[in-house]
Amino acid sequence: MIDVLYFAWVRERIGMPKERLDTGAATVAALVDELRAREERYAMAFSDLSALRVAVDQELTDFDAPLAGAREVAFFPPMTGG
Amino acid sequence: MSEEAGIRIVVQEAPFDFGAEADAFAAGRNDMGAVVTFTGVVRDVSGGLDGMEIEHYPGMTEKALARIAAEAQARWSLGEVLVIHRHGKLAPGERIMMVATASPHRKDAFEAAEYLMDYLKSRAPFWKKESAGGGQSWVAAKDEDEAALRRW
């Protein structure tokens, strides 16, 4: 089981901040493919990966990052702090 | 809040007292000859901004800020580093965040403050949403913010 978190417009498009998924996805990209196949709102949110950033266990990483042992994956747009 | 050697990170919804923070920062450190503070304020460019809401990623935010501060401490001669960043609803003119750096040397204090700002703009998980004229829109990240990281 893995916690999947969504922030900012990704959260709005998917319609929830967090869900717990049972997935066998080996990488972030494989998880994205699983999510896209679920429902249109996911396909929309993940239509352009260049507009998204991902963190695994609260560390920024890439879409080809492995998910083995990961507890938490978060998807969000480029950050706008400061 | 996290406390490492010389690093203080605060992420909170409530306003902070800039004067009190600046006053207390590096107080009693007689070896710090230079203190730089920077404050970010909600800016109303068009004149029609009603406010802003800042979302963040609790847990990751504090870690990311602590790491950026530690990196600054490793690169420059810094005695103290302070980062305060707010989230939630903010009105135009309200202070969003502040950084402070203390160093024996002015150049280190200035450069480290700029480094902190450049990194926390695009590497700390905050997202700004502006409200204006009854509508809301997410603030898009700027290419120049990403480009700013390349000089470090």
Side-chain angles (χ1 to χ4, degrees):
Chain A
M1 297 296 277
I2 195 163
D3 286 326
V4 185
L5 282 67
Y6 310 107
F7 291 96
W9 59 254
V10 184
R11 169 180 56 74
E12 291 178 338
R13 248 171 240 192
I14 289 171
M16 65 180 124
K18 184 177 180 174
E19 59 187 320
R20 177 160 269 225
L21 294 180
D22 193 359
T23 176
T27 63
V28 173
L31 174 63
V32 168
D33 285 341
E34 274 183 22
L35 290 168
R36 276 177 176 147
R38 290 174 86 189
E39 280 177 57
E40 181 59 27
R41 58 196 167 117
Y42 291 94
M44 272 183 59
F46 291 105
S47 62
D48 177 12
L49 292 191
S50 73
L52 291 178
R53 301 291 178 268
V54 60
V56 172
D57 289 336
Q58 305 190 349
E59 302 276 351
L60 279 175
T61 185
D62 301 314
F63 282 86
D64 54 9
L67 283 183
R71 295 180 309 275
E72 188 172 299
V73 180
F75 296 101
F76 42 79
M79 295 153 274
T80 53
Chain B
M1 190 189 299
S2 89
E3 304 273 351
E4 251 176 79
I7 294 177
R8 183 163 162 253
I9 305 291
V10 182
V11 179
Q12 65 182 30
E13 190 160 358
F16 57 89
D17 183 337
F18 173 77
E21 294 291 350
D23 222 28
F25 181 70
R29 290 289 301 257
N30 298 335
D31 53 337
M32 296 292 119
V35 170
V36 165
T37 62
F38 172 88
T39 313
V41 176
V42 178
R43 174 183 59 165
D44 183 6
V45 184
S46 61
L49 185 75
D50 298 318
M52 175 181 278
E53 185 150 11
I54 299 177
E55 182 171 332
H56 81 118
Y57 183 170
M60 179 173 167
T61 306
E62 293 81 357
K63 277 192 220 172
L65 293 175
R67 174 165 321 153
I68 294 166
E71 181 65 27
Q73 235 185 8
R75 292 178 67 146
W76 289 278
S77 172
L78 298 176
E80 309 271 334
V81 180
L82 167 66
V83 179
I84 302 177
H85 205 301
R86 295 179 61 195
H87 58 90
K89 287 195 164 78
L90 289 95
E94 273 193 74
R95 295 188 183 102
I96 303 172
M97 50 78 60
M98 71 174 285
V99 302
T101 55
S103 169
H105 315 292
R106 169 184 51 155
K107 192 164 183 284
D108 285 51
F110 270 119
E111 283 186 5
E114 281 208 76
Y115 173 91
L116 290 170
M117 286 311 306
D118 282 349
Y119 268 83
L120 74 83
K121 262 191 124 50
S122 47
R123 291 292 184 274
F126 291 101
W127 300 275
K128 295 190 181 111
K129 190 181 204 181
E130 291 181 342
S131 301
Q136 292 188 315
S137 58
W138 291 100
V139 175
K142 297 191 193 78
D143 290 342
E144 66 209 54
D145 292 338
E146 197 61 33
L149 301 185
R150 286 199 278 275
R151 77 173 159 132
W152 301 112

